Amino acid sequence: MSMPFYVSPEQQMKDKADYARKGIARGRSVVVLQYDDGILFVADNPSRALHKISEIYDRIAFAAVGKYNEFENLRLGGVRYADINGYQYDRRDVTARGLANVYAQSLGTIFTETNKPYEVELVVAEVGEDAETDQIYRLTFDGSVADEHGYVAMGGQTESVAQALKDGYEEGASLEVALRTAVRALEAQDSDRRLEAKSLEVAVLDRNREHRLFRRLPARRIEELLAAGDGGSAGGSAGSSGGSSAGPSVEDVDDVLGDGKD
Amino acid sequence: MGYARVTGAWWREGSRVASHDSHTGRLPGLFTSPDTSSFTEFLGVYSPELLPGRRAVPVSPAGDEIPHGTTIVAVSFPGGVVMAGDRRATAGNVIAQRDIEKVFRADEFSAIAIAGTAGIGIEMVRLFQVELEHYEKREGRTLSVEGKANRLATMVRQNLAMAMQGLAVVPLFAGYDEERDGGRIFSYDPAGGRYEERDFHSIGSGSVFARGSLKKLYRADLSAEDAALVCVQALYDAADDDSATGGPDLTRRIFPVVATVTSEGYRRLGEDEVGALAQAVVDGRYDSPGGPTAPLR
């Protein structure tokens, strides 16, 4: 007669956490960082259909790494949470903090009560009236929440990406500069990684827009921004940051219409 | 407080969708209950009391004392459509509201307006707006113009019992159709009948007078600005003969709500733009109270 092995709760949690961490590290990275007009999301993701970055509500967006079906489920639930609260109360009453709480509860429950934890890591970000009031929450597979400022890297080779971000990040950077910093950081995943516009998923929460502030940048626009950044690597970035912040918003209208809503 | 209420609902919801939740412990129904991208359908399971169609119907017919919205007009033009509504809500012979808004943005490429019981109509509009946005965010694509119009028909139909008790709402829906590069107009009856209209349409108490006016003023080659002018003229004519429709209020600077939907999206005309149109219409009526005349032959 065989007796089931005793596994201590500590060991059980540790096993689950290791399992989740391994799963998350297998994927590619996503970075989220603040820039002068809002919050920028960049994913190393060649797929045009399966998104890692998505709109949740007027001022709130979602970025995730890990297992697609799991974070997609969380995204869909988040859209429901936001829409039902906005419908019952008011659009202003939907907040990233509330959403982060819901995710934390759900992830925590899944982690402790099921055999297989979710292999995901999320960022829920809300753009404010200025950089001071921007909110970025990072959620991990066990339901813990961290309040982040400036930049976040998650998934894949997180440490090297985070280090590159730490070195390159500057507060109040223009979109071009921020995007270039993000792409450099993502390239730090591997020694010989070179990322082109086609293999990037880029979106912004732009506080200067109206109503729904989330917007995906089409490949053409990403190319332009990267080229502008490369063109004058030293002087160009500082010189162009003032003028270019107005430039993109005008052209953005085209992009939204040309691309449909996603 | 409100947050706690919502949380409570999830746990209750958990029992209903136990089969979905069994593998994830007590995961809120928000993440698991019916796999639909329709907000209305989800709401029907999650919080049915919030759906207009699920409420007890009043036993006796509602009287005049509940505010009613009045006249809406829509005119298509090459490349888009204009929609406009007057600003009056009436309760019997009383003006319940003199600056109510009855024309709304439905989503980036469509507009919706309501006539009939104002409270129910505005609720329907809010629900419809969330419905479109919800679908868009979940599916990553927008509904077709027909898809949106059909969805609205279902909502109107759900209000049929209320309509029979005197609480009818009839919307007018207009959208930009990318494939045709033009505007499309859909009207409804209280039973949820959906009818596509050619060129122009009007609904509400003053719609008969507005329609006559639209018929004489409409041309196939209107510019967006002229189409807006046609709408303001038609609303003036409606207000001229229908006591429930409000004309432009020059003293209070209350003008119709006018919105265009084109390939550039939904745009509500600014107060100054509509003010100028309304002023021009009123000025013209000093010379010719019946408005512009159509050639006889």
Side-chain angles (χ1 to χ4, degrees):
Chain A
M1 191 178 127
S2 66
M3 289 284 287
F5 285 110
Y6 171 76
V7 183
S8 69
E10 289 87 352
Q11 187 61 42
Q12 219 172 11
M13 292 301 155
K14 187 175 173 298
D15 288 351
K16 280 193 201 180
D18 287 345
Y19 175 81
R21 274 195 204 99
K22 266 184 216 157
I24 295 164
R26 264 198 295 276
R28 293 179 188 165
S29 305
V30 172
V31 298
V32 179
L33 62 167
Q34 291 176 274
Y35 71 103
D36 59 355
D37 286 329
I39 302 172
L40 170 69
F41 302 78
V42 185
D44 178 0
N45 177 17
S47 170
R48 295 294 107 205
L50 306 177
H51 297 302
K52 290 187 170 181
I53 302 166
S54 306
E55 173 186 18
I56 297 284
Y57 212 61
D58 295 354
R59 314 184 73 91
I60 305 174
F62 168 100
V65 292
K67 246 183 138 208
Y68 179 76
N69 70 317
E70 293 175 346
F71 68 69
E72 177 68 0
N73 190 30
L74 291 170
R75 178 185 77 86
L76 295 174
V79 170
R80 277 185 174 164
Y81 165 84
D83 280 345
I84 205 157
N85 277 290
Y87 180 68
Q88 284 191 100
Y89 307 111
D90 187 80
R91 294 193 81 92
R92 278 169 302 180
D93 298 318
V94 179
T95 60
R97 199 183 64 82
L99 183 63
N101 268 327
V102 172
Y103 282 144
Q105 290 297 329
S106 302
L107 286 167
T109 306
I110 292 164
F111 184 75
T112 48
E113 295 190 10
T114 64
N115 288 327
K116 186 206 162 304
Y118 271 18
E119 299 156 66
V120 296
E121 195 164 328
L122 316 176
V123 159
V124 173
E126 175 176 348
V127 68
E129 293 301 320
D130 50 46
E132 292 286 290
T133 50
D134 286 348
Q135 295 171 47
I136 302 177
Y137 298 100
R138 174 220 289 260
L139 293 117
T140 47
F141 54 87
D142 59 353
S144 38
V145 191
D147 190 353
E148 305 277 357
H149 297 280
Y151 59 88
V152 181
M154 54 181 186
Q157 305 305 312
T158 319
E159 278 168 23
S160 44
V161 179
Q163 187 58 46
L165 270 180
K166 194 179 173 194
D167 297 341
Y169 178 75
E170 43 186 294
E171 260 178 54
S174 68
L175 183 58
E176 294 142 8
V177 173
L179 180 64
R180 197 179 38 180
T181 308
V183 173
R184 293 274 153 78
L186 289 173
E187 284 173 346
Q189 287 177 97
D190 297 310
S191 51
D192 56 348
R193 194 156 183 82
R194 190 89 181 103
L195 287 166
E196 288 173 20
K198 268 186 293 195
S199 55
L200 290 170
E201 181 185 359
V202 181
V204 290
L205 281 169
D206 180 348
R207 64 177 118 256
N208 298 328
R209 289 169 63 79
E210 277 179 24
H211 190 45
R212 286 161 72 177
L213 309 187
F214 180 85
R215 195 172 75 78
R216 288 184 192 289
L217 303 190
R220 184 168 48 82
R221 182 88 186 106
I222 301 170
E223 259 164 43
E224 278 171 23
L225 286 168
L226 288 177
D230 283 342
S233 46
S237 59
S240 61
S241 59
S244 58
S245 59
S249 347
V250 174
E251 204 178 323
D252 289 353
V253 177
D254 271 0
D255 293 340
V256 169
L257 302 171
D259 266 348
K261 293 309 291 181
D262 90 325
Chain B
M1 170 81 191
Y3 184 71
R5 204 206 74 77
V6 176
T7 313
W10 293 341
W11 302 115
R12 282 206 303 284
E13 201 37 59
S15 59
R16 194 191 298 258
V17 288
S19 58
H20 291 274
D21 284 354
S22 53
H23 70 289
T24 51
R26 296 187 300 157
L27 186 63
L30 199 61
F31 292 104
T32 48
S33 63
D35 188 20
T36 171
S37 289
S38 163
F39 182 72
T40 316
E41 218 170 288
F42 170 63
L43 209 56
V45 177
Y46 180 81
S47 213
E49 74 282 1
L50 290 177
L51 276 189
R54 303 284 182 95
R55 288 183 202 129
V57 177
V59 191
S60 54
D64 282 343
E65 52 299 337
I66 297 176
H68 276 60
T70 47
T71 310
I72 306 293
V73 296
V75 172
S76 64
F77 61 88
V81 58
V82 179
M83 198 179 247
D86 73 308
R87 304 292 291 273
R88 183 169 292 178
T90 55
N93 62 327
V94 174
I95 295 173
Q97 182 83 33
R98 62 174 95 253
D99 61 353
I100 191 174
E101 296 189 0
K102 296 177 281 189
V103 178
F104 304 89
R105 173 196 142 104
D107 68 0
E108 188 59 42
F109 294 103
S110 61
I112 179 175
I114 44 137
T117 316
I120 296 178
I122 288 166
E123 184 183 23
M124 188 184 286
V125 168
R126 285 193 70 209
L127 190 57
F128 185 60
Q129 288 167 329
V130 180
E131 178 82 19
L132 298 186
E133 187 184 321
H134 191 72
Y135 180 93
E136 189 187 309
K137 287 190 292 199
R138 285 183 59 110
E139 297 289 323
R141 67 177 285 268
T142 49
L143 282 166
S144 62
V145 180
E146 286 89 351
K148 293 174 196 171
N150 286 338
R151 194 65 226 174
L152 185 56
T154 311
M155 290 185 181
V156 178
R157 197 170 300 120
Q158 277 163 353
N159 194 50
L160 180 60
M162 291 286 200
M164 301 307 282
Q165 294 295 354
L167 296 170
V169 177
V170 189
L172 189 63
F173 177 69
Y176 171 75
D177 190 332
E178 205 170 22
E179 285 169 29
R180 302 187 190 180
D181 185 32
R184 296 176 67 178
I185 302 169
F186 295 88
S187 73
Y188 298 84
D189 68 34
R194 185 210 89 170
Y195 314 97
E196 179 155 11
E197 305 291 344
R198 290 168 62 111
D199 306 337
F200 55 83
H201 196 68
S202 61
I203 59 167
S205 62
S207 62
V208 190
F209 311 110
R211 190 105 35 99
S213 179
L214 290 173
K215 202 184 284 180
K216 299 297 172 208
L217 295 175
Y218 177 80
R219 288 115 178 82
D221 61 348
L222 287 169
S223 66
E225 200 197 345
D226 285 351
L229 181 61
V230 168
C231 287
V232 177
Q233 290 279 14
L235 287 174
Y236 189 100
D237 283 319
D240 208 16
D241 288 300
D242 172 38
S243 62
T245 304
D249 190 339
L250 296 178
T251 54
R252 293 191 183 83
R253 311 292 295 167
I254 299 171
F255 305 117
V257 176
V258 184
T260 61
V261 187
T262 62
S263 61
E264 312 249 300
Y266 175 94
R267 186 174 83 88
R268 178 176 166 170
L269 271 60
E271 287 291 293
D272 47 337
E273 286 173 275
V274 185
L277 288 175
Q279 189 69 53
V281 169
V282 173
D283 289 347
R285 302 276 170 148
Y286 279 107
D287 298 327
S288 154
T293 50
L296 200 52
R297 285 176 208 286

